[in-house]
Amino acid sequence: MYVTLAAALFAVNASVSKVVLEAGVEPATLAALRSTGAALGLGVILLAVAPRRLRVTLRELPALALLGVAGAAMVQWLYFVAIQRIPIGIALLLEFTAPVFVALYVRVVRRQDVRRRTWLAIGVALGGLAMVAQVWTDTGLDPIGVVAGLGAAASVATYFLVGSHTAAARDTGSLTFYMFFFGALFWTVTQPWWTVDLSMLASSAPLLGTLDAYSVPAWAGVVWIVVLGTLAPYALNLAALGRISPTAVGVVGMSEPVGAGLVAWAWLGQALTAIQVAGGLIVLVGIALVQRAAAPAPVSAKAGRIRGKMGPEVDDRGQEEQPLESTQQGRHEAPARASGGVRERAAPPAGGARDDAGVGPG
């Protein structure tokens, strides 16, 4: 229930973001406002309930800064650019291909083996994307929007790869705070607040589509994005992680592109063709197959005790099973240790930290 409600809030948030962008707020400004608002909100909560969790060492800062730039600043900005130029459902599907980038990075850059079924899953996902983009015809998709969507996926992949190591030493709440904190700091440096015209926040924002007769102040849309589009679903996903596995959270969270597409269709009139809808479902199947390839095989309690004494798990071919980092928890969950079907020895969690996911960009 928690993760489904979180996915629903994220789905509605996409259309709310479209309204704010159409009101004249620039994607970079909206990304900065979202990161700053989320950092302030999470910071106040952590200071009130668990201030010790905000402690940070100098050794952690580089990774946390990279996580903030990739996971908050760049993902948010590229995502907003994408939904400003192409249908929301397509933009989210492009961003949800992050596991493909993870697997390709590990194979091409790290030169590590990737399972055959992972390549099959990637092929399924890419085939679905070809149907969504209808590459055999001119669909009128804005090239900048498509590149921004794929760039957001690459940024999410970076966030997964960096965060999977960082999450071993920190709880997910403080990790998420520092991600948004460094994302906000990035925007403060690259576009100082005193150089940004924030007067557009006082302007009227038509709700577009079926609600075009109504308007709200642009700042009200930004408040929605920060509170109900970021803090509330993040908290729901964290609550869900206390009850179900990170993989289950990620799989349910994969309903978000479908939900966002339906909301955009009903609210904004953004309709997709039957082929694009079928392609979108195929993309989600491919991502689910990547998740399935990443999931560790279940073992009995006895086998678990033996494995704990004898060493790493052995797969059905007698090979040592060495899962990598996280791949896909949806865009909104922080990296869990699911692999893209890649074999690598994962570092043990430091300090007994939970091996679960926090929440990420969205």
Side-chain angles (χ1 to χ4, degrees):
M1 182 183 67
Y2 286 159
V3 71
T4 301
L5 180 56
L9 287 173
F10 279 133
V12 173
N13 189 62
S15 291
V16 175
S17 299
K18 179 73 171 179
V19 167
V20 175
L21 291 167
E22 290 298 314
V25 179
E26 291 296 323
T29 302
L30 185 54
L33 289 169
R34 188 180 189 187
S35 294
T36 304
L40 288 173
L42 286 170
V44 169
I45 293 172
L46 287 174
L47 281 173
V49 301
R52 292 184 178 181
R53 291 162 63 182
L54 292 175
R55 292 177 180 175
V56 63
T57 65
L58 289 177
R59 292 183 60 185
E60 294 178 279
L61 290 179
L64 291 173
L66 179 57
L67 193 66
V69 172
M74 300 311 296
V75 170
Q76 304 289 345
W77 173 57
L78 291 168
Y79 168 62
F80 289 142
V81 170
I83 66 172
Q84 188 180 43
R85 293 174 172 270
I86 61 178
I88 288 171
I90 293 178
L92 281 171
L93 284 172
L94 291 174
E95 190 172 344
F96 262 65
T97 59
V100 174
F101 286 87
V102 173
L104 291 175
Y105 169 83
V106 171
R107 182 66 185 94
V108 175
V109 178
R110 295 187 178 178
R111 298 186 181 279
Q112 294 171 351
D113 292 336
V114 176
R115 298 173 183 173
R116 285 191 296 270
R117 56 183 169 175
T118 300
W119 290 122
L120 173 63
I122 289 173
V124 170
L126 292 178
L129 281 178
M131 294 175 63
V132 170
Q134 294 186 352
V135 294
W136 57 87
T137 183
D138 182 10
T139 59
L141 287 179
D142 184 276
I144 295 177
V146 172
V147 171
L150 293 173
S155 296
V156 172
T158 303
Y159 155 74
F160 285 146
L161 292 167
V162 175
S164 62
H165 294 291
T166 311
R170 298 201 68 88
D171 64 276
T172 52
S174 67
L175 182 64
T176 304
F177 162 75
Y178 279 112
M179 180 186 73
F180 280 119
F181 172 80
F182 281 106
L185 185 61
F186 170 85
W187 288 118
T188 300
V189 172
T190 56
Q191 54 167 23
W193 288 110
W194 54 89
T195 66
V196 179
D197 180 13
L198 297 178
S199 62
M200 79 285 290
L201 296 178
S203 64
S204 178
L207 293 181
L208 308 176
T210 58
L211 301 176
D212 194 47
Y214 304 95
S215 298
V216 297
W219 63 261
V222 173
V223 171
W224 174 289
I225 291 169
V226 171
V227 178
L228 294 177
T230 307
L231 294 176
Y234 276 40
L236 287 166
N237 275 330
L238 286 172
L241 286 166
R243 292 165 173 80
I244 60 177
S245 71
T247 299
V249 171
V251 170
V252 176
M254 282 166 51
S255 64
E256 183 194 338
V258 178
L262 289 174
V263 172
W265 167 73
W267 179 355
L268 305 177
Q270 292 186 349
L272 303 179
T273 66
I275 291 178
Q276 287 177 314
V277 172
L281 294 176
I282 291 173
V283 171
L284 294 181
V285 169
I287 294 171
L289 290 174
V290 172
Q291 284 285 78
R292 181 65 178 170
V299 293
S300 66
K302 180 179 179 181
R305 288 193 298 271
I306 293 174
R307 186 176 63 187
K309 295 178 181 179
M310 300 300 292
E313 180 181 355
V314 176
D315 69 10
D316 56 3
R317 293 184 297 270
Q319 294 175 308
E320 185 178 300
E321 195 69 23
Q322 299 167 335
L324 177 69
E325 292 85 11
S326 76
T327 51
Q328 177 72 359
Q329 292 288 69
R331 294 173 306 110
H332 309 291
E333 288 80 55
R337 289 179 190 276
S339 103
V342 184
R343 306 182 193 285
E344 177 188 316
R345 187 178 303 278
R354 288 177 56 191
D355 188 17
D356 61 14
V359 285

